[in-house]
Amino acid sequence: MMETDHEFGYLAVPTAGSGPGILVLQEWWGLVPHIKDIADRLAAAGYVALAPDLYRGTTTNSPDEAGRMLMALNIEQAAQDLEQAATFLANHEAVTGEKLGVVGFCMGGQLALLAATVSDRIGAAVDFYGIHPNVHPNFSRLKAPVLGFFGEQDSFVTPEAVEQLISQIREAGKTIDTYTYPGAEHAFFNDTRPEVYNAEAASDAWQRTIAFFQDHLAA
């Protein structure tokens, strides 16, 4: 497996040297080691994974600062960044297949939905407890099936918010399947945060994510 820091962010290529491409979108903390680790895990599963650096080098472990950076994100610029990252990844010599996947976490989960509406290259989108108050994807432009993972005890993305998301996507005539894990909190997938990490939920969600990409992205 090869990992490199690229102008777009962090790129992980599988040992085999090629595979379908997947964008990995950061939480509100920035492009931190946890997100790079997810890209590495995808590369180990046979995918070429690119984690774009949407904060352009800035990271934090302070919730207050992360909240400020999330709210300061220029959504129009982020949409352009996502489209450019998708174009770069699709054209990368290691990437096989016509369509890309996208997976995002927290802020990145909502941006994954945005990416799937601004780029025609996205063929599968995975949303882990996505939230951003200023990101409102136009689901009429969604051309990829969506898989969503949520925590029953998530105070940021409540069960009501999940139902609203499902309704919005299905009313637009698009496809979404979701899983809500009993007792799981926001960021249950983040194994660098033991106070919220839920190993059982994370393992199940990961297996479903890999199976979803295998179903929808040609090798």
Side-chain angles (χ1 to χ4, degrees):
M1 188 167 63
M2 179 184 72
E3 307 98 9
T4 55
D5 287 304
H6 188 272
E7 63 174 302
F8 283 107
Y10 180 80
L11 182 70
V13 178
T15 304
S18 65
I22 296 177
L23 293 172
V24 184
L25 304 186
Q26 68 197 48
E27 295 177 296
W28 66 349
W29 313 108
L31 184 51
V32 295
H34 170 60
I35 297 300
K36 293 181 178 182
D37 178 63
I38 293 169
D40 289 344
R41 290 175 65 184
L42 285 167
Y47 296 94
V48 180
L50 174 65
D53 187 355
L54 300 175
Y55 286 168
R56 289 167 167 72
T58 302
T59 62
T60 184
N61 57 12
S62 160
D64 288 343
E65 182 65 20
R68 283 193 290 271
M69 291 195 296
L70 175 143
M71 294 306 294
L73 185 71
N74 182 317
I75 307 306
E76 187 175 329
Q77 182 63 57
Q80 292 177 11
D81 289 348
L82 292 170
E83 198 161 11
Q84 290 173 0
T87 299
F88 166 78
L89 186 60
N91 292 329
H92 194 279
E93 61 184 7
V95 171
T96 59
E98 291 293 312
K99 294 291 187 177
L100 305 173
V102 61
V103 57
F105 304 82
C106 178
M107 178 184 84
Q110 191 72 357
L111 291 175
L113 300 177
L114 181 65
T117 63
V118 300
S119 174
D120 293 335
R121 301 177 186 275
I122 303 300
V126 181
D127 169 13
F128 276 80
Y129 35 82
I131 182 170
H132 195 298
N134 299 330
V135 175
H136 306 287
N138 179 357
F139 291 122
S140 68
R141 296 196 58 208
L142 185 66
K143 295 181 180 176
V146 175
L147 180 62
F149 298 108
F150 305 94
E152 182 187 46
Q153 301 299 319
D154 190 334
S155 59
F156 293 98
V157 188
T158 63
E160 292 77 17
V162 175
E163 287 303 316
Q164 184 178 22
L165 174 66
I166 293 171
S167 295
Q168 288 174 338
I169 290 178
R170 290 183 177 165
E171 285 170 8
K174 312 302 179 178
T175 302
I176 180 171
D177 291 313
T178 65
Y179 294 86
T180 297
Y181 294 99
E185 299 178 53
H186 189 72
F188 68 80
F189 192 81
N190 192 333
D191 57 4
T192 69
R193 299 184 60 207
E195 72 276 14
V196 293
Y197 177 61
N198 184 313
E200 185 176 352
S203 175
D204 183 78
W206 182 253
Q207 291 173 26
R208 293 182 187 277
T209 295
I210 295 299
F212 183 71
F213 285 141
Q214 287 174 342
D215 287 344
H216 295 287
L217 301 180

